[in-house]
Amino acid sequence: MLKEYLIKIREFYHQNLSFRSLRVRIFLIVLVVGTVPSVAMRYGIMRNYEERAVELRTAAVQSQLRIIADHLINEDYLAMQSYPGFSAEYSGSSSFKVINAELEMLSNLYDGRVQIISGNLRVIKDTYAISEGKTIISEEVIKCFMGESLSNYDDRNGYIEMTIPIIDNKNVDKEQETTGAVTVGGVKQPDPRVKGVMLTSISTAYIMDTMDILNRKAIILETLMIMVIVAIALVLAVVLARPFERVTRAINRVKEGYSNESISVPDLTETEHIVEAFNQLLQRMKVLDDSRQEFVSNVSHELKTPLASMKVLADSLLVQEDVPAELYQEFLEDIVSEIDRENRIITDLLTLVKMDKKVSGLNIAAININDLTELILKRLRPIARKKDVEVVFESVRPVTAEVDEVKMTLVMSNLVENAIKYNKEHGWVKVVLDADHQYFTFEVSDSGIGIPEDCLTQIYERFYRVDKSHSREIGGTGLGLAITKNAVLMHMGSITVTSTEGEGSTFLVKIPLNYIAQ
């Protein structure tokens, strides 16, 4: 039931966009933060006043009751009231009248009731004249005969009930006077000094009336405070949300095309962070746009070059008469070569498109990387033998990882094939496979021509070539490393390169052993 209620609240929250507004949230937070303490303060003040007033009234009444209790002992009031003969004899005495007057005055003063209970639990005096002569047996009275003074506040009915022992220290020995009540067989016995109990109930109507007056004044003050808090909340909501509106307007200007410059809203630290992130995104978009234009230009150039070559070869054959068969054969071989080159470019472009993270997924499976590497090197060793390049494979430990076999084959093949193609005669290529508890590493080192330091950051760009003439001689398209890096990133891995021009290069690929879906 509670779960369904929470779901309904969540649906209502998402359906009402106003609750998702920063301005509304600031207003509500300030309102709650300001209102809750004021309400809690009013409740705490009222509660504290009530407890203190009850405590003071109880102490005042108990003090007066103890004085009267001493009078009762000194005047033998309990004895006079307990025995009718004595009561009749002394009823006209001045001390008897004074005590009764004190009891009546106390009862009237605190709008309460005083009952005097003798040692045999019989009520010998009741200021309400209702229970005289009756027997009272209650837990409070019994405990009071054991020497305990008790008080209880009943806030629902509006009265304080208390018991005061009437103690006689004149007719007991010194040991009893100091020890009081004793325990026999684990049961606490009555205190022999206690000759009676004064059971008193006093009204707290005065306290309640005072609390009502204070509560009304507190509510008025609280209402004024809430009005001020609402005004402050409105002002803060508008002021604090204004910088974000400036950010929105500035972004909209860029979106509509009115500006393509970086924006600046330094009002708040948060807006600075948002603006900084947006400016970085804007800069990234500019780079991507420039890269796209350059890519289109490069694609056009790369595709037009083989076509232009084929057209020149075909035109050369057309303008000549009686062309020898050998020349036809030579020109047709050149045309086929250009067609193959164009086909490789188109194939690599299609591979890049298919490897787009938003278009293609990965077919993840647990693959033995050692066996995969051996298979790839077996395919590439014939190419290495043609250039007299030695390929060495060093496997530090067995490696099994969750990868896409096809794309990982592209990564390894491209790196090893490049190391072979861009190597020197009688050179070497070393492949090292290693792993730790989280990643496996695939390292390809060579003794090739190396890469200039200023080109290291550009080698992963599409159609970028360090040495264009040499790349065309060996059939490179300039897309291999772009495909490699894309495949590595799809596996949440990394690729780094270190190189010295004229001495060789080292590519290091680091891939997680366990694939984590994005």
Side-chain angles (χ1 to χ4, degrees):
M1 193 70 180
L2 178 60
K3 186 177 180 180
E4 293 178 357
Y5 182 70
L6 293 175
I7 292 175
K8 290 181 179 179
I9 292 178
R10 187 181 302 170
E11 290 177 351
F12 176 79
Y13 170 78
H14 287 293
Q15 291 172 358
N16 290 268
L17 297 178
S18 59
F19 288 102
R20 297 166 59 185
S21 167
L22 178 62
R23 185 181 289 108
V24 173
R25 290 187 180 186
I26 293 174
F27 173 78
L28 292 177
I29 290 172
V30 175
L31 183 62
V32 171
V33 170
T35 302
V36 171
S38 64
V39 174
M41 182 177 64
R42 176 174 64 86
Y43 176 80
I45 291 174
M46 298 301 296
R47 189 67 179 172
N48 184 68
Y49 168 78
E50 182 181 15
E51 292 175 357
R52 183 61 177 166
V54 169
E55 180 183 347
L56 291 175
R57 173 155 286 205
T58 301
V61 173
Q62 285 178 339
S63 177
Q64 295 186 41
L65 289 174
R66 288 191 178 94
I67 295 174
I68 295 176
D70 290 339
H71 290 175
L72 296 178
I73 293 299
N74 293 332
E75 300 297 334
D76 290 330
Y77 186 87
L78 295 176
M80 289 188 292
Q81 289 290 80
S82 298
Y83 300 99
F86 287 100
S87 176
E89 181 179 350
Y90 292 102
S91 59
S93 65
S94 59
S95 60
F96 189 90
K97 292 180 180 180
V98 168
I99 292 173
N100 285 336
E102 287 179 349
L103 293 173
E104 293 294 338
M105 182 183 66
L106 182 67
S107 176
N108 294 331
L109 179 62
Y110 294 104
D111 191 17
R113 179 183 184 186
V114 181
Q115 299 177 73
I116 299 177
I117 304 169
S118 63
N120 57 3
L121 303 179
R122 190 169 64 88
V123 179
I124 60 175
K125 177 63 178 177
D126 182 2
T127 55
Y128 279 13
I130 296 175
S131 301
E132 290 181 356
K134 295 181 180 179
T135 301
I136 291 183
I137 301 177
S138 67
E139 182 180 0
E140 292 80 6
V141 173
I142 299 301
K143 287 184 177 181
C144 193
F145 272 108
M146 295 178 182
E148 297 182 27
S149 297
L150 303 175
S151 64
N152 178 49
Y153 171 50
D154 187 344
D155 57 348
R156 178 173 297 180
N157 297 312
Y159 69 88
I160 304 172
E161 185 178 75
M162 64 190 74
T163 55
I164 297 294
I166 304 173
I167 300 175
D168 182 8
N169 289 319
K170 295 186 300 182
N171 299 320
V172 295
D173 55 34
K174 291 296 183 183
E175 183 178 355
Q176 290 178 328
E177 184 176 351
T178 56
T179 59
V182 296
T183 301
V184 178
V187 179
K188 194 172 183 180
Q189 302 297 316
D191 189 340
R193 299 175 304 163
V194 178
K195 303 304 180 180
V197 172
M198 299 181 71
L199 178 61
T200 306
S201 299
I202 60 174
S203 173
T204 57
Y206 172 76
I207 297 176
M208 296 297 104
D209 293 342
T210 304
M211 286 183 60
D212 287 340
I213 296 172
L214 290 176
N215 191 48
R216 285 195 295 270
K217 293 182 178 179
I219 288 175
I220 295 173
L221 181 61
E222 184 179 317
T223 302
L224 294 175
M225 289 177 61
I226 290 175
M227 293 173 64
V228 173
I229 292 169
V230 168
I232 294 174
L234 287 172
V235 172
L236 288 177
V238 172
V239 171
L240 294 179
R242 191 170 294 160
F244 295 95
E245 293 177 353
R246 293 198 188 99
V247 172
T248 303
R249 287 197 297 269
I251 293 175
N252 285 334
R253 285 181 58 82
V254 175
K255 182 187 71 173
E256 297 296 334
Y258 299 131
S259 172
N260 59 356
E261 300 298 326
S262 299
I263 64 176
S264 176
V265 183
D267 299 44
L268 300 173
T269 303
E270 288 75 13
T271 58
E272 286 185 354
H273 291 165
I274 294 172
V275 167
E276 182 180 356
F278 176 78
N279 288 336
Q280 292 176 357
L281 176 62
L282 186 62
Q283 187 64 32
R284 176 62 178 165
M285 290 173 63
K286 290 179 180 178
V287 171
L288 290 176
D289 188 56
D290 294 341
S291 176
R292 179 184 59 81
Q293 294 179 5
E294 183 180 356
F295 174 71
V296 172
S297 175
N298 290 336
V299 169
S300 301
H301 175 75
E302 294 293 335
L303 293 178
K304 285 173 64 178
T305 301
L307 290 174
S309 299
M310 287 186 284
K311 188 176 186 307
V312 169
L313 291 170
D315 288 342
S316 298
L317 292 175
L318 290 174
V319 298
Q320 298 183 40
E321 297 179 359
D322 301 324
V323 180
E326 294 80 4
L327 188 60
Y328 264 105
Q329 180 72 23
E330 181 184 349
F331 277 27
L332 286 176
E333 287 178 357
D334 290 340
I335 291 173
V336 169
S337 177
E338 293 298 326
I339 291 173
D340 289 340
R341 181 182 166 201
E342 182 126 357
N343 185 58
R344 286 195 299 272
I345 294 173
I346 294 173
T347 301
D348 285 349
L349 284 172
L350 290 175
T351 300
L352 275 175
V353 171
K354 290 179 180 179
M355 290 180 68
D356 191 325
K357 295 180 183 178
K358 296 180 180 178
V359 176
S360 174
L362 293 174
N363 297 317
I364 299 298
I367 302 297
N368 188 314
I369 306 299
N370 303 74
D371 293 344
L372 181 62
T373 306
E374 290 280 9
L375 180 61
I376 292 170
L377 296 182
K378 182 178 179 181
R379 295 173 184 169
L380 295 176
R381 278 194 172 99
I383 300 175
R385 281 195 290 268
K386 289 181 180 179
K387 295 194 63 174
D388 194 21
V389 173
E390 182 185 5
V391 178
V392 179
F393 175 44
E394 180 182 340
S395 177
V396 179
R397 57 178 54 82
V399 178
T400 300
E402 297 176 356
V403 296
D404 184 307
E405 184 175 1
V406 174
K407 293 178 175 59
M408 192 52 57
T409 300
L410 282 173
V411 172
M412 295 178 173
S413 299
N414 284 337
L415 292 179
V416 177
E417 189 174 1
N418 282 349
I420 294 172
K421 289 181 177 180
Y422 293 93
N423 215 316
K424 302 173 182 176
E425 290 189 6
H426 316 298
W428 53 265
V429 174
K430 183 178 181 181
V431 178
V432 180
L433 181 64
D434 196 3
D436 56 21
H437 64 288
Q438 287 185 318
Y439 299 89
F440 78 87
T441 56
F442 180 79
E443 183 180 80
V444 180
S445 304
D446 62 63
S447 59
I449 60 176
I451 304 171
E453 186 177 354
D454 57 346
C455 298
L456 290 177
T457 58
Q458 298 172 282
I459 58 175
Y460 301 109
E461 296 178 7
R462 299 170 183 182
F463 295 112
Y464 181 81
R465 295 185 181 91
V466 177
D467 185 347
K468 295 186 178 182
S469 60
H470 188 51
S471 297
R472 294 182 192 275
E473 289 176 6
I474 62 176
T477 63
L479 295 171
L481 287 179
I483 294 172
T484 299
K485 184 171 184 180
N486 202 353
V488 170
L489 293 178
M490 291 178 72
H491 285 84
M492 305 301 291
S494 63
I495 180 171
T496 56
V497 58
T498 56
S499 181
T500 302
E501 192 172 4
E503 297 182 8
S505 306
T506 299
F507 284 85
L508 178 64
V509 175
K510 188 174 182 181
I511 304 291
L513 292 172
N514 300 311
Y515 178 74
I516 301 175
Q518 300 183 38

